[in-house]
Amino acid sequence: MKNTESPIVGMIIGLILPIISLAIMLPIITYSKGYESVGECIRQFQSFGILYKIVSLCLMPSAGLFFWWMHRGRVNMARGVLSVCLLYGVAILVMYFI
């Protein structure tokens, strides 16, 4: 096992990747729908009850990375990404019920 092939590295990447994808997706949605700011867009999504769906979509790149690493034989890194995806899943469930 290489130094870079550890579950901790997978966890760090798994934490950062959904945040980056959300940071890319929210401005695109905000300005394509005509909202004035990202904060207004988030408040609207929360009032419509779809904010948890947007956050769920941001986990797709992490899932893709998990499957890619499993295919390449980097099981430990894939394990780290999967564990963080499960934590995000719990957070999404909390958002759904709030």
Side-chain angles (χ1 to χ4, degrees):
M1 179 170 76
K2 301 175 190 173
N3 285 339
T4 59
E5 191 178 335
S6 71
I8 303 298
V9 174
M11 286 179 172
I12 292 170
I13 294 171
L15 279 171
I16 294 172
L17 194 59
I19 295 170
I20 291 172
S21 62
L22 184 67
I24 291 171
M25 191 181 338
L26 271 180
I28 291 172
I29 293 172
T30 299
Y31 298 116
S32 68
K33 297 293 182 183
Y35 294 113
E36 292 181 15
S37 68
V38 175
E40 179 187 354
C41 181
I42 290 173
R43 282 189 296 278
Q44 284 285 13
F45 287 159
Q46 195 170 18
S47 69
F48 294 152
I50 60 171
L51 184 61
Y52 69 94
K53 293 178 183 179
I54 301 295
V55 175
S56 297
L57 284 175
C58 293
L59 288 178
M60 289 300 164
S62 292
L65 186 64
F66 166 75
F67 287 115
W68 184 63
W69 277 342
M70 286 298 291
H71 179 71
R72 306 270 298 180
R74 295 185 172 195
V75 178
N76 288 329
M77 293 177 79
R79 190 177 297 151
V81 169
L82 183 64
S83 62
V84 171
C85 281
L86 290 174
L87 289 176
Y88 272 115
V90 169
I92 290 168
L93 280 174
V94 169
M95 287 173 57
Y96 177 74
F97 289 113
I98 287 182

Coordinates of all heavy atoms in Angstrom, one line a residue:
M1 N 0.8 -1.2 0.0 CA 0.0 0.0 0.0 C 0.9 1.2 0.0 O 1.8 1.4 0.8 CB -0.9 0.0 1.2 CG -1.8 1.2 1.3 SD -3.1 1.1 2.6 CE -2.2 1.4 4.1
K2 N 0.6 2.1 -0.9 CA 1.4 3.4 -1.0 C 0.9 4.3 0.1 O -0.1 4.2 0.7 CB 1.1 4.0 -2.3 CG 1.5 3.2 -3.5 CD 1.1 3.9 -4.8 CE 1.3 3.0 -6.0 NZ 0.8 3.6 -7.2
N3 N 1.7 5.4 0.4 CA 1.3 6.4 1.4 C 0.1 7.1 1.0 O -0.7 7.5 1.8 CB 2.5 7.4 1.6 CG 3.6 6.8 2.4 OD1 3.4 5.8 3.1 ND2 4.8 7.4 2.2
T4 N -0.1 7.3 -0.3 CA -1.3 8.1 -0.8 C -2.5 7.2 -0.8 O -3.6 7.7 -1.0 CB -1.1 8.7 -2.1 OG1 -0.8 7.7 -3.1 CG2 0.1 9.7 -2.1
E5 N -2.4 5.9 -0.8 CA -3.5 5.0 -0.8 C -4.0 4.5 0.5 O -3.8 3.4 1.0 CB -3.1 3.7 -1.7 CG -4.3 2.9 -2.0 CD -4.0 1.7 -2.8 OE1 -3.0 1.7 -3.5 OE2 -4.7 0.7 -2.8
S6 N -4.6 5.5 1.2 CA -5.1 5.2 2.6 C -6.5 5.7 2.7 O -7.0 6.5 1.9 CB -4.2 5.9 3.6 OG -4.4 7.3 3.6
P7 N -7.3 5.1 3.6 CA -8.7 5.6 3.7 C -8.8 7.0 4.2 O -9.8 7.7 3.8 CB -9.2 4.7 4.8 CG -8.3 3.5 4.9 CD -7.0 4.0 4.4
I8 N -7.8 7.6 4.8 CA -7.8 9.0 5.3 C -7.8 9.9 4.1 O -8.5 10.9 4.0 CB -6.6 9.3 6.2 CG1 -6.7 8.3 7.4 CG2 -6.6 10.7 6.6 CD1 -7.9 8.5 8.3
V9 N -6.9 9.6 3.1 CA -6.9 10.4 1.9 C -8.2 10.3 1.1 O -8.7 11.3 0.6 CB -5.7 9.9 0.9 CG1 -5.7 10.6 -0.4 CG2 -4.4 10.1 1.6
G10 N -8.8 9.1 1.1 CA -10.1 9.0 0.5 C -11.2 9.8 1.2 O -12.1 10.3 0.6
M11 N -11.1 9.8 2.5 CA -12.1 10.6 3.3 C -11.9 12.1 3.0 O -12.9 12.8 2.9 CB -11.9 10.3 4.8 CG -12.4 9.0 5.3 SD -12.0 8.8 7.0 CE -12.9 7.3 7.4
I12 N -10.7 12.5 3.0 CA -10.5 14.0 2.7 C -11.0 14.3 1.3 O -11.7 15.4 1.2 CB -9.0 14.3 2.9 CG1 -8.6 14.2 4.3 CG2 -8.7 15.7 2.3 CD1 -7.1 14.2 4.5
I13 N -10.7 13.5 0.3 CA -11.2 13.8 -1.0 C -12.7 13.7 -1.0 O -13.4 14.5 -1.7 CB -10.5 12.9 -2.0 CG1 -9.0 13.2 -2.1 CG2 -11.2 13.0 -3.4 CD1 -8.2 12.3 -2.9
G14 N -13.3 12.7 -0.3 CA -14.7 12.5 -0.2 C -15.4 13.7 0.5 O -16.6 13.9 0.2
L15 N -14.7 14.3 1.4 CA -15.3 15.5 2.0 C -15.3 16.7 1.1 O -16.3 17.5 1.1 CB -14.6 15.8 3.3 CG -14.9 15.0 4.6 CD1 -13.9 15.4 5.7 CD2 -16.3 15.4 5.0
I16 N -14.2 16.9 0.4 CA -14.1 18.1 -0.4 C -14.9 18.0 -1.7 O -15.4 19.1 -2.2 CB -12.6 18.3 -0.7 CG1 -11.8 18.6 0.6 CG2 -12.3 19.4 -1.7 CD1 -10.3 18.6 0.5
L17 N -14.9 16.9 -2.4 CA -15.5 16.8 -3.7 C -17.0 17.2 -3.8 O -17.4 18.0 -4.7 CB -15.4 15.4 -4.3 CG -15.6 15.2 -5.7 CD1 -14.8 16.1 -6.6 CD2 -15.4 13.7 -6.1
P18 N -17.9 16.8 -2.8 CA -19.3 17.3 -2.9 C -19.4 18.8 -2.6 O -20.3 19.5 -3.2 CB -20.0 16.5 -1.7 CG -19.2 15.3 -1.6 CD -17.8 15.7 -1.8
I19 N -18.5 19.3 -1.8 CA -18.5 20.8 -1.5 C -18.2 21.5 -2.8 O -18.8 22.6 -3.2 CB -17.6 21.1 -0.4 CG1 -18.1 20.5 0.9 CG2 -17.5 22.6 -0.2 CD1 -17.2 20.6 2.1
I20 N -17.2 21.0 -3.5 CA -16.8 21.7 -4.8 C -17.9 21.6 -5.8 O -18.2 22.5 -6.5 CB -15.5 21.0 -5.3 CG1 -14.3 21.4 -4.4 CG2 -15.2 21.4 -6.8 CD1 -13.0 20.7 -4.8
S21 N -18.5 20.4 -5.9 CA -19.6 20.2 -6.9 C -20.8 21.1 -6.5 O -21.5 21.7 -7.4 CB -20.0 18.8 -7.0 OG -20.5 18.3 -5.8
L22 N -21.1 21.3 -5.2 CA -22.1 22.2 -4.8 C -21.8 23.7 -5.1 O -22.6 24.4 -5.6 CB -22.4 22.1 -3.3 CG -23.6 22.9 -2.7 CD1 -24.9 22.4 -3.3 CD2 -23.6 22.8 -1.2
A23 N -20.5 24.0 -4.9 CA -20.0 25.4 -5.3 C -20.1 25.6 -6.8 O -20.2 26.8 -7.2 CB -18.6 25.6 -4.7
I24 N -20.0 24.6 -7.6 CA -20.1 24.8 -9.0 C -21.6 24.8 -9.4 O -22.0 25.6 -10.3 CB -19.4 23.7 -9.8 CG1 -17.9 23.8 -9.6 CG2 -19.7 23.7 -11.2 CD1 -17.0 22.7 -10.0
M25 N -22.4 23.9 -8.8 CA -23.8 23.8 -9.2 C -24.7 25.0 -8.8 O -25.5 25.4 -9.6 CB -24.4 22.5 -8.7 CG -25.7 22.2 -9.3 SD -26.6 20.7 -8.7 CE -25.3 19.6 -8.0
L26 N -24.5 25.5 -7.6 CA -25.4 26.5 -7.1 C -25.4 27.8 -7.9 O -26.4 28.4 -8.2 CB -25.1 26.8 -5.6 CG -25.9 25.9 -4.6 CD1 -25.5 26.3 -3.2 CD2 -27.4 26.1 -4.8
P27 N -24.2 28.3 -8.2 CA -24.2 29.6 -9.1 C -24.8 29.3 -10.4 O -25.5 30.2 -11.0 CB -22.7 29.9 -9.2 CG -22.1 29.3 -8.0 CD -22.8 28.1 -7.8
I28 N -24.6 28.1 -11.0 CA -25.2 27.9 -12.3 C -26.8 27.9 -12.2 O -27.5 28.5 -13.0 CB -24.7 26.5 -12.8 CG1 -23.2 26.6 -13.2 CG2 -25.5 26.1 -14.1 CD1 -22.6 25.3 -13.6
I29 N -27.3 27.2 -11.2 CA -28.7 27.2 -10.9 C -29.2 28.6 -10.6 O -30.3 29.0 -11.1 CB -29.1 26.2 -9.8 CG1 -28.8 24.8 -10.3 CG2 -30.6 26.3 -9.4 CD1 -28.9 23.8 -9.2
T30 N -28.5 29.3 -9.8 CA -28.9 30.6 -9.3 C -29.1 31.6 -10.5 O -30.1 32.2 -10.6 CB -27.9 31.2 -8.4 OG1 -27.8 30.4 -7.2 CG2 -28.3 32.6 -7.9
Y31 N -28.1 31.7 -11.4 CA -28.2 32.6 -12.4 C -29.0 32.2 -13.6 O -29.5 33.0 -14.4 CB -26.8 33.1 -12.8 CG -26.1 33.7 -11.7 CD1 -24.9 33.1 -11.1 CD2 -26.6 34.9 -11.1 CE1 -24.3 33.7 -10.0 CE2 -26.0 35.5 -10.0 CZ -24.8 34.9 -9.5 OH -24.2 35.5 -8.4
S32 N -29.2 30.8 -13.8 CA -30.0 30.4 -14.9 C -31.5 30.5 -14.5 O -32.3 30.7 -15.4 CB -29.7 28.9 -15.2 OG -30.1 28.1 -14.1
K33 N -31.8 30.5 -13.3 CA -33.2 30.7 -12.8 C -33.6 32.1 -12.5 O -34.7 32.4 -12.2 CB -33.5 29.8 -11.6 CG -33.4 28.3 -11.8 CD -34.5 27.9 -12.8 CE -34.4 26.3 -13.0 NZ -35.3 25.8 -13.9
G34 N -32.6 33.0 -12.5 CA -32.9 34.4 -12.4 C -32.9 34.9 -10.9 O -33.4 36.0 -10.6
Y35 N -32.4 34.1 -10.0 CA -32.3 34.6 -8.6 C -31.2 35.6 -8.5 O -30.2 35.6 -9.3 CB -32.0 33.4 -7.7 CG -33.1 32.4 -7.6 CD1 -32.9 31.1 -8.1 CD2 -34.3 32.7 -7.0 CE1 -33.9 30.2 -8.0 CE2 -35.3 31.8 -6.9 CZ -35.1 30.5 -7.4 OH -36.1 29.6 -7.3
E36 N -31.3 36.5 -7.6 CA -30.3 37.6 -7.4 C -29.0 37.2 -6.7 O -28.0 37.7 -7.0 CB -30.9 38.8 -6.7 CG -32.0 39.5 -7.5 CD -32.6 40.6 -6.7 OE1 -32.0 41.1 -5.7 OE2 -33.7 41.1 -7.1
S37 N -29.2 36.2 -5.8 CA -28.0 35.8 -5.1 C -28.1 34.3 -4.8 O -29.2 33.7 -4.8 CB -27.8 36.6 -3.8 OG -28.8 36.2 -2.9
V38 N -27.0 33.7 -4.4 CA -27.0 32.3 -4.1 C -27.7 32.1 -2.8 O -28.4 31.1 -2.6 CB -25.5 31.8 -3.9 CG1 -25.5 30.4 -3.5 CG2 -24.8 31.9 -5.3
G39 N -27.6 33.0 -1.8 CA -28.4 32.9 -0.6 C -29.9 32.8 -0.8 O -30.6 32.1 -0.2
E40 N -30.4 33.7 -1.7 CA -31.8 33.7 -2.0 C -32.2 32.4 -2.7 O -33.3 31.8 -2.4 CB -32.1 34.8 -3.0 CG -33.5 34.9 -3.4 CD -33.8 36.0 -4.5 OE1 -32.9 36.7 -4.8 OE2 -34.9 36.0 -5.0
C41 N -31.3 31.8 -3.5 CA -31.6 30.6 -4.2 C -31.7 29.4 -3.1 O -32.6 28.6 -3.2 CB -30.5 30.3 -5.2 SG -30.7 28.7 -6.1
I42 N -30.8 29.4 -2.2 CA -30.8 28.4 -1.1 C -32.1 28.5 -0.3 O -32.7 27.5 0.1 CB -29.5 28.5 -0.3 CG1 -28.3 28.1 -1.1 CG2 -29.7 27.7 1.0 CD1 -27.0 28.3 -0.4
R43 N -32.5 29.8 0.1 CA -33.7 29.9 0.8 C -34.9 29.4 0.1 O -35.8 28.8 0.6 CB -33.9 31.4 1.2 CG -33.0 31.8 2.4 CD -33.3 33.2 2.9 NE -33.1 34.3 1.9 CZ -31.9 34.8 1.7 NH1 -30.8 34.4 2.3 NH2 -31.8 35.8 0.8
Q44 N -35.0 29.7 -1.2 CA -36.1 29.2 -2.1 C -36.1 27.7 -2.1 O -37.2 27.1 -2.0 CB -36.0 29.8 -3.5 CG -36.4 31.2 -3.6 CD -37.9 31.4 -3.5 OE1 -38.6 30.5 -3.1 NE2 -38.3 32.6 -3.8
F45 N -35.0 27.1 -2.3 CA -34.9 25.6 -2.3 C -35.3 25.0 -1.0 O -36.0 24.0 -1.0 CB -33.5 25.2 -2.7 CG -33.1 25.4 -4.1 CD1 -31.8 25.4 -4.5 CD2 -34.1 25.5 -5.1 CE1 -31.5 25.6 -5.8 CE2 -33.8 25.7 -6.4 CZ -32.4 25.7 -6.8
Q46 N -35.0 25.7 0.1 CA -35.3 25.2 1.4 C -36.9 25.4 1.6 O -37.5 24.5 2.2 CB -34.6 25.9 2.5 CG -34.7 25.3 3.8 CD -33.7 25.9 4.8 OE1 -33.2 27.0 4.6 NE2 -33.4 25.2 5.9
S47 N -37.4 26.5 1.1 CA -38.9 26.7 1.3 C -39.7 25.7 0.4 O -40.7 25.3 0.7 CB -39.2 28.1 1.0 OG -39.1 28.4 -0.4
F48 N -39.1 25.4 -0.8 CA -39.7 24.4 -1.7 C -39.6 23.0 -1.2 O -40.2 22.1 -1.6 CB -39.2 24.5 -3.1 CG -39.5 25.7 -3.8 CD1 -38.7 26.2 -4.8 CD2 -40.7 26.5 -3.5 CE1 -38.9 27.4 -5.5 CE2 -40.9 27.7 -4.2 CZ -40.1 28.1 -5.2
G49 N -38.6 22.8 -0.3 CA -38.3 21.4 0.2 C -37.5 20.6 -0.7 O -37.6 19.3 -0.7
I50 N -36.6 21.2 -1.5 CA -35.8 20.4 -2.4 C -34.3 20.6 -2.2 O -33.5 20.2 -2.9 CB -36.1 20.8 -3.9 CG1 -35.9 22.2 -4.2 CG2 -37.5 20.4 -4.2 CD1 -36.0 22.6 -5.6
L51 N -34.0 21.3 -1.1 CA -32.5 21.5 -0.8 C -31.8 20.2 -0.6 O -30.7 20.0 -1.1 CB -32.4 22.4 0.4 CG -30.9 22.8 0.7 CD1 -30.3 23.6 -0.5 CD2 -30.9 23.6 2.0
Y52 N -32.4 19.3 0.1 CA -31.8 18.0 0.3 C -31.6 17.2 -1.0 O -30.6 16.4 -1.2 CB -32.6 17.1 1.3 CG -33.9 16.6 0.8 CD1 -34.0 15.3 0.2 CD2 -35.0 17.4 0.9 CE1 -35.2 14.9 -0.3 CE2 -36.2 16.9 0.4 CZ -36.3 15.6 -0.1 OH -37.5 15.2 -0.6
K53 N -32.4 17.4 -2.0 CA -32.2 16.8 -3.3 C -31.0 17.4 -4.0 O -30.3 16.7 -4.7 CB -33.5 17.0 -4.2 CG -34.7 16.2 -3.6 CD -35.9 16.5 -4.5 CE -37.1 15.8 -3.9 NZ -38.3 16.0 -4.7
I54 N -30.8 18.7 -3.9 CA -29.6 19.3 -4.5 C -28.4 18.8 -3.9 O -27.4 18.5 -4.6 CB -29.7 20.9 -4.4 CG1 -31.0 21.4 -5.1 CG2 -28.5 21.5 -5.0 CD1 -31.1 21.2 -6.6
V55 N -28.4 18.7 -2.6 CA -27.2 18.2 -1.9 C -26.9 16.7 -2.3 O -25.8 16.3 -2.4 CB -27.3 18.4 -0.4 CG1 -26.2 17.7 0.4 CG2 -27.4 19.8 0.0
S56 N -28.0 15.9 -2.5 CA -27.9 14.5 -2.9 C -27.2 14.5 -4.3 O -26.4 13.6 -4.5 CB -29.2 13.9 -2.9 OG -29.8 13.8 -1.7
L57 N -27.6 15.4 -5.2 CA -27.0 15.4 -6.5 C -25.5 15.7 -6.4 O -24.7 15.2 -7.3 CB -27.6 16.4 -7.4 CG -29.0 16.0 -7.9 CD1 -29.6 17.2 -8.7 CD2 -28.9 14.8 -8.8
C58 N -25.1 16.4 -5.4 CA -23.6 16.7 -5.3 C -22.8 15.5 -4.8 O -21.6 15.6 -4.9 CB -23.5 17.9 -4.3 SG -24.1 19.4 -4.9
L59 N -23.4 14.5 -4.4 CA -22.7 13.3 -4.0 C -22.4 12.4 -5.2 O -21.6 11.4 -5.1 CB -23.5 12.5 -3.0 CG -23.6 13.1 -1.6 CD1 -24.4 12.2 -0.7 CD2 -22.2 13.2 -1.0
M60 N -23.0 12.7 -6.4 CA -22.7 11.8 -7.6 C -21.2 11.8 -8.0 O -20.8 10.7 -8.3 CB -23.6 12.3 -8.7 CG -25.0 12.0 -8.5 SD -25.3 10.2 -8.4 CE -26.9 10.2 -7.7
P61 N -20.5 12.9 -8.0 CA -19.1 12.8 -8.3 C -18.3 11.9 -7.3 O -17.4 11.1 -7.7 CB -18.5 14.2 -8.2 CG -19.7 15.0 -8.5 CD -20.9 14.3 -7.9
S62 N -18.7 11.9 -6.1 CA -18.0 11.0 -5.1 C -18.4 9.5 -5.4 O -17.5 8.7 -5.2 CB -18.5 11.4 -3.7 OG -18.0 12.6 -3.3
A63 N -19.6 9.3 -5.8 CA -20.0 7.9 -6.1 C -19.2 7.4 -7.3 O -18.7 6.3 -7.4 CB -21.5 7.8 -6.3
G64 N -19.1 8.3 -8.3 CA -18.3 8.0 -9.5 C -16.8 7.7 -9.2 O -16.2 6.8 -9.7
L65 N -16.3 8.5 -8.3 CA -14.9 8.3 -7.8 C -14.8 7.0 -7.1 O -13.8 6.3 -7.2 CB -14.5 9.5 -6.9 CG -13.0 9.5 -6.5 CD1 -12.1 9.7 -7.7 CD2 -12.8 10.7 -5.5
F66 N -15.7 6.7 -6.3 CA -15.7 5.4 -5.5 C -15.6 4.2 -6.5 O -14.8 3.3 -6.4 CB -17.0 5.3 -4.7 CG -17.2 3.9 -4.2 CD1 -16.4 3.4 -3.1 CD2 -18.2 3.1 -4.7 CE1 -16.6 2.1 -2.7 CE2 -18.4 1.8 -4.3 CZ -17.6 1.3 -3.2
F67 N -16.5 4.2 -7.5 CA -16.5 3.1 -8.5 C -15.2 3.1 -9.3 O -14.7 2.0 -9.7 CB -17.8 3.2 -9.4 CG -19.0 2.8 -8.7 CD1 -20.0 3.7 -8.5 CD2 -19.1 1.5 -8.2 CE1 -21.2 3.3 -7.8 CE2 -20.3 1.1 -7.5 CZ -21.3 2.0 -7.3
W68 N -14.7 4.3 -9.7 CA -13.5 4.3 -10.4 C -12.3 3.7 -9.6 O -11.5 3.0 -10.2 CB -13.2 5.7 -10.9 CG -12.0 5.9 -11.7 CD1 -11.8 5.3 -13.0 CD2 -10.8 6.6 -11.5 NE1 -10.6 5.7 -13.5 CE2 -9.9 6.5 -12.6 CE3 -10.4 7.4 -10.4 CZ2 -8.7 7.1 -12.6 CZ3 -9.1 7.9 -10.4 CH2 -8.3 7.8 -11.5
W69 N -12.2 4.1 -8.4 CA -11.2 3.5 -7.5 C -11.3 2.1 -7.3 O -10.3 1.3 -7.2 CB -11.1 4.3 -6.2 CG -10.3 5.6 -6.3 CD1 -9.4 5.9 -7.3 CD2 -10.3 6.6 -5.4 NE1 -8.9 7.1 -7.1 CE2 -9.4 7.6 -5.9 CE3 -10.9 6.9 -4.2 CZ2 -9.1 8.8 -5.3 CZ3 -10.7 8.1 -3.6 CH2 -9.8 9.0 -4.1
M70 N -12.5 1.6 -7.2 CA -12.8 0.1 -7.0 C -12.3 -0.6 -8.3 O -11.7 -1.7 -8.2 CB -14.2 -0.2 -6.7 CG -14.7 0.2 -5.3 SD -13.8 -0.7 -4.0 CE -14.5 -2.4 -4.3
H71 N -12.6 0.0 -9.4 CA -12.2 -0.6 -10.7 C -10.6 -0.7 -10.8 O -10.1 -1.6 -11.4 CB -12.8 0.1 -11.9 CG -12.4 -0.4 -13.2 ND1 -12.8 -1.6 -13.7 CD2 -11.6 0.1 -14.1 CE1 -12.3 -1.8 -14.9 NE2 -11.5 -0.8 -15.2
R72 N -10.0 0.4 -10.3 CA -8.5 0.5 -10.4 C -7.8 -0.3 -9.3 O -6.6 -0.4 -9.2 CB -8.1 1.9 -10.3 CG -8.7 2.8 -11.3 CD -8.0 3.0 -12.5 NE -6.7 3.5 -12.3 CZ -5.8 3.7 -13.2 NH1 -6.1 3.5 -14.4 NH2 -4.6 4.2 -12.9
G73 N -8.6 -0.9 -8.3 CA -8.0 -1.7 -7.3 C -7.5 -0.9 -6.0 O -6.8 -1.4 -5.2
R74 N -7.9 0.3 -5.9 CA -7.6 1.2 -4.7 C -8.7 1.1 -3.7 O -9.5 2.0 -3.5 CB -7.4 2.6 -5.2 CG -6.2 2.7 -6.1 CD -5.9 4.2 -6.4 NE -4.6 4.2 -7.1 CZ -4.0 5.4 -7.3 NH1 -4.5 6.5 -6.8 NH2 -2.8 5.4 -7.9
V75 N -8.8 -0.1 -3.1 CA -9.9 -0.4 -2.2 C -9.9 0.5 -1.0 O -11.0 0.9 -0.5 CB -9.9 -1.9 -1.9 CG1 -11.0 -2.2 -0.9 CG2 -10.0 -2.7 -3.1
N76 N -8.8 0.8 -0.4 CA -8.7 1.6 0.8 C -9.2 3.0 0.6 O -9.9 3.6 1.4 CB -7.3 1.6 1.4 CG -6.9 0.3 2.0 OD1 -7.8 -0.4 2.5 ND2 -5.7 -0.1 1.9
M77 N -8.8 3.6 -0.6 CA -9.3 5.0 -0.9 C -10.8 5.0 -1.1 O -11.5 5.9 -0.7 CB -8.5 5.5 -2.0 CG -7.0 5.8 -1.7 SD -6.1 6.4 -3.0 CE -6.5 8.1 -3.0
A78 N -11.2 3.9 -1.8 CA -12.7 3.8 -2.1 C -13.4 3.6 -0.8 O -14.5 4.2 -0.7 CB -12.9 2.6 -3.1
R79 N -12.9 2.9 0.1 CA -13.5 2.7 1.4 C -13.7 4.1 2.1 O -14.7 4.3 2.8 CB -12.7 1.8 2.2 CG -13.4 1.3 3.5 CD -12.5 0.3 4.2 NE -12.4 -0.9 3.4 CZ -11.3 -1.7 3.4 NH1 -10.3 -1.4 4.3 NH2 -11.2 -2.8 2.7
G80 N -12.7 4.9 2.1 CA -12.7 6.2 2.7 C -13.8 7.1 2.1 O -14.6 7.8 2.8
V81 N -13.9 7.1 0.7 CA -14.9 7.9 0.0 C -16.3 7.4 0.4 O -17.2 8.2 0.6 CB -14.7 7.9 -1.5 CG1 -15.9 8.5 -2.2 CG2 -13.4 8.6 -1.8
L82 N -16.5 6.1 0.4 CA -17.8 5.5 0.8 C -18.2 5.8 2.2 O -19.4 6.2 2.4 CB -17.7 4.0 0.6 CG -19.1 3.3 0.8 CD1 -20.1 3.7 -0.2 CD2 -18.9 1.8 0.7
S83 N -17.3 5.8 3.1 CA -17.7 6.2 4.5 C -18.1 7.6 4.6 O -19.1 7.9 5.3 CB -16.5 5.9 5.5 OG -15.4 6.7 5.2
V84 N -17.4 8.5 3.9 CA -17.9 9.9 3.9 C -19.2 10.1 3.2 O -20.0 10.9 3.7 CB -16.8 10.8 3.3 CG1 -17.2 12.2 3.2 CG2 -15.5 10.8 4.2
C85 N -19.4 9.3 2.2 CA -20.7 9.4 1.5 C -21.9 9.0 2.4 O -23.0 9.5 2.4 CB -20.7 8.6 0.2 SG -19.9 9.3 -1.2
L86 N -21.6 8.0 3.2 CA -22.6 7.6 4.2 C -22.9 8.6 5.2 O -24.0 8.8 5.7 CB -22.2 6.3 4.9 CG -22.2 5.0 4.0 CD1 -21.6 3.8 4.7 CD2 -23.6 4.7 3.5
L87 N -21.8 9.4 5.7 CA -22.0 10.5 6.6 C -22.8 11.6 5.9 O -23.7 12.2 6.6 CB -20.7 11.0 7.1 CG -19.9 10.1 8.0 CD1 -18.5 10.7 8.3 CD2 -20.7 9.9 9.3
Y88 N -22.6 11.9 4.7 CA -23.4 12.9 4.0 C -24.8 12.4 3.8 O -25.7 13.2 3.9 CB -22.8 13.1 2.6 CG -21.8 14.2 2.5 CD1 -20.5 13.9 2.1 CD2 -22.1 15.5 2.7 CE1 -19.5 14.9 2.0 CE2 -21.2 16.5 2.6 CZ -19.9 16.2 2.3 OH -18.9 17.2 2.2
G89 N -25.0 11.1 3.7 CA -26.3 10.5 3.6 C -27.1 10.7 4.9 O -28.3 11.1 4.8
V90 N -26.5 10.6 6.0 CA -27.1 10.8 7.3 C -27.5 12.3 7.4 O -28.6 12.7 7.9 CB -26.2 10.4 8.5 CG1 -26.7 10.9 9.8 CG2 -26.0 8.9 8.4
A91 N -26.6 13.2 7.0 CA -26.9 14.6 7.0 C -28.0 15.0 6.1 O -28.9 15.8 6.4 CB -25.6 15.4 6.6
I92 N -28.1 14.3 5.0 CA -29.3 14.5 4.0 C -30.6 14.1 4.7 O -31.6 14.7 4.5 CB -29.0 13.9 2.7 CG1 -27.9 14.6 2.0 CG2 -30.2 13.8 1.8 CD1 -27.3 13.9 0.8
L93 N -30.5 12.9 5.4 CA -31.7 12.5 6.1 C -32.2 13.5 7.1 O -33.4 13.7 7.3 CB -31.5 11.1 6.7 CG -31.6 9.9 5.8 CD1 -31.2 8.6 6.5 CD2 -33.0 9.8 5.2
V94 N -31.2 14.0 7.8 CA -31.5 15.1 8.9 C -32.2 16.3 8.2 O -33.2 16.8 8.7 CB -30.3 15.4 9.7 CG1 -30.5 16.7 10.5 CG2 -29.8 14.3 10.5
M95 N -31.6 16.7 7.0 CA -32.2 17.8 6.3 C -33.6 17.5 5.8 O -34.4 18.4 5.8 CB -31.3 18.2 5.1 CG -30.0 18.8 5.4 SD -28.9 19.1 4.0 CE -29.9 20.0 2.9
Y96 N -33.8 16.3 5.4 CA -35.2 15.9 4.9 C -36.2 16.0 6.0 O -37.3 16.5 5.8 CB -35.1 14.5 4.4 CG -36.4 13.9 3.9 CD1 -37.0 14.4 2.7 CD2 -37.1 13.0 4.7 CE1 -38.2 13.9 2.3 CE2 -38.4 12.5 4.2 CZ -38.9 13.0 3.1 OH -40.1 12.5 2.6
F97 N -35.9 15.6 7.2 CA -36.9 15.6 8.3 C -37.0 16.9 9.1 O -37.8 17.1 9.9 CB -36.6 14.5 9.3 CG -36.9 13.1 8.7 CD1 -35.9 12.2 8.5 CD2 -38.2 12.8 8.4 CE1 -36.2 11.0 7.9 CE2 -38.5 11.6 7.8 CZ -37.5 10.7 7.6
I98 N -36.1 17.9 8.8 CA -36.2 19.2 9.4 C -37.0 20.1 8.6 O -37.6 20.2 7.8 CB -34.8 19.8 9.6 CG1 -34.1 19.0 10.7 CG2 -34.8 21.3 10.0 CD1 -32.7 19.5 11.1

